[in-house]
Amino acid sequence: MITHKKLPNGFAYIEIKNSAAEAKIALQGAHLFHYARVGEEPILWLSEVSDFELGKAIRGGVPICWPWFGFNEDRTLPQHGFARVSLWEFVCSDESDEKRTTLTFRLTHNKKTLQMWHYKFELELHVTISDKLTMELKTTNIDDKEFEITQALHTYFKVSHISNVSVKGFNKNPYLDALTYKNKVQDGDITFNQEVDRVYQEVDGIIVLKDKKREISINNDGSSSVVVWNPWIEKTLRMSAMKKDAYENMLCIESANAFDDVRVVKPQKSHTLKATIF
Ligand code: BG6
């Protein structure tokens, strides 16, 4: 079942419930901010002090970073692009299977986006809520010139405590350490005892987030880069919409096209970034 809801300030979202899972998706940013299998703990982390307000990105869930990841050369433009703070259109849903709900959201260029990014585009998000969570972000170039994108499904995972966590799937992968801008190579699993902000490259295969009592797997398509981020103590104090100890219970593993994994989309062509979480 899907229900359209609104907060008292007019912030609109859709609640999804089926026999396998439940979820919540805001129309701003097509931003999924809750996903849990029936009878289980939520998979996604959501800040207790996040703003649900037009023009401000929700802190947690899965922000969509698009059409650029990170800073733009023009620092007056928003970090991680404009898609996460734009109002998307809810296109349709498919509820024909009681264990699975699929929803489609769309964002197209308008006067405001053309001022920030000079291309005509159609961006679609297909989300499937079932015992797995699938997100497909399809970029179509409807301009007459090619464009380049960087992007991410910036997933915040909820963890029991960051010190209990390890991440498998990056052994021997090169990465850019975004804190020092040095290129390094991963040795074994990733564990956390300080701030981590890295863009892993040449990623292929399933990533496993191991926590005390559960394992979450992530499979990406249309992507060879994955961002792993935990702000740790000092940075958390400077982050918007995060309590001071919030870093203890979250970890971002972001299915991306970032750093050297830039994608060129030719006129009338598409590129799809897909993440499956199970
Ligand atoms: C991560 C970046 O993807 O997003 C970090 O690697 C950044 O450097 C983080 O701090 C959060 O960004 P924002 O814009 O949501 O505060």
Side-chain angles (χ1 to χ4, degrees):
M1 189 170 75
I2 73 161
T3 317
H4 291 263
K5 298 209 159 181
K6 255 187 194 168
L7 297 177
N9 67 358
F11 193 91
Y13 65 98
I14 297 175
E15 201 172 75
I16 300 113
K17 281 186 192 209
N18 58 40
S19 65
E22 60 176 37
K24 290 178 186 170
I25 306 177
L27 288 187
Q28 172 171 278
H31 193 139
L32 177 77
F33 61 94
H34 171 66
Y35 167 72
R37 294 187 197 111
V38 167
E40 292 185 21
E41 282 277 297
I43 301 271
L44 304 176
W45 178 83
L46 176 66
S47 173
E48 297 155 63
V49 291
S50 183
D51 295 303
F52 284 84
E53 225 177 274
L54 284 184
K56 286 191 182 174
I58 298 171
R59 177 69 69 200
V62 190
I64 293 179
C65 306
W66 189 98
W68 58 84
F69 177 84
F71 289 113
N72 191 288
E73 278 170 27
D74 176 350
R75 295 291 169 114
T76 63
L77 295 176
Q79 150 134 309
H80 291 327
F82 50 77
R84 65 177 175 167
V85 286
S86 299
L87 212 49
W88 292 49
E89 176 198 351
F90 166 63
V91 180
C92 60
S93 61
D94 179 355
E95 300 184 76
S96 50
D97 181 339
E98 60 159 43
K99 297 192 289 299
R100 163 195 311 265
T101 311
T102 305
L103 299 96
T104 301
F105 297 85
R106 186 187 296 139
L107 180 69
T108 44
H109 60 276
N110 56 47
K111 237 173 154 182
K112 220 167 131 191
T113 69
L114 286 168
Q115 277 167 8
M116 293 185 272
W117 198 61
H118 314 293
Y119 303 99
K120 294 181 183 160
F121 66 88
E122 184 184 78
L123 185 60
E124 275 191 341
L125 180 74
H126 302 281
V127 191
T128 303
I129 306 299
S130 66
D131 58 347
K132 290 181 183 164
L133 167 64
T134 308
M135 293 169 285
E136 280 176 82
L137 184 62
K138 183 179 178 194
T139 301
T140 305
N141 183 342
I142 53 172
D143 211 315
D144 50 16
K145 48 191 182 295
E146 68 177 34
F147 59 62
E148 286 186 353
I149 50 166
T150 52
Q151 58 179 343
L153 294 161
H154 188 307
T155 311
Y156 285 77
F157 290 96
K158 187 177 164 77
V159 299
S160 63
H161 193 282
I162 190 69
S163 57
N164 295 332
V165 164
S166 64
V167 185
K168 285 185 180 299
F170 298 111
N171 192 24
K172 306 276 182 279
N173 278 91
Y175 67 87
L176 172 76
D177 186 333
L179 301 172
T180 57
Y181 286 97
K182 290 211 166 101
N183 292 299
K184 297 183 180 166
V185 175
Q186 180 65 33
D187 183 18
D189 298 346
I190 313 172
T191 52
F192 302 86
N193 55 16
Q194 59 185 344
E195 183 180 358
V196 167
D197 194 350
R198 301 175 183 166
V199 188
Y200 283 88
Q201 296 154 273
E202 298 167 28
V203 184
D204 188 16
I206 291 174
I207 298 158
V208 181
L209 165 56
K210 286 191 77 175
D211 199 348
K212 216 174 176 181
K213 288 194 182 146
R214 73 173 172 192
E215 282 190 11
I216 297 169
S217 300
I218 305 152
N219 188 41
N220 297 327
D221 287 299
S223 149
S224 65
S225 51
V226 173
V227 180
V228 178
W229 177 62
N230 181 288
W232 212 250
I233 302 165
E234 292 299 317
K235 180 89 178 278
T236 300
L237 300 177
R238 300 199 302 273
M239 298 296 300
S240 60
M242 271 181 111
K243 277 186 154 179
K244 70 175 184 356
D245 55 358
Y247 76 95
E248 293 178 353
N249 301 111
M250 51 76 57
L251 175 64
C252 288
I253 303 178
E254 308 165 31
S255 311
N257 294 120
F259 186 40
D260 62 348
D261 186 18
V262 176
R263 299 295 165 129
V264 176
V265 188
K266 296 210 182 291
Q268 313 314 316
K269 299 282 181 202
S270 299
H271 170 67
T272 299
L273 169 66
K274 179 176 176 186
T276 306
I277 294 167
F278 54 104

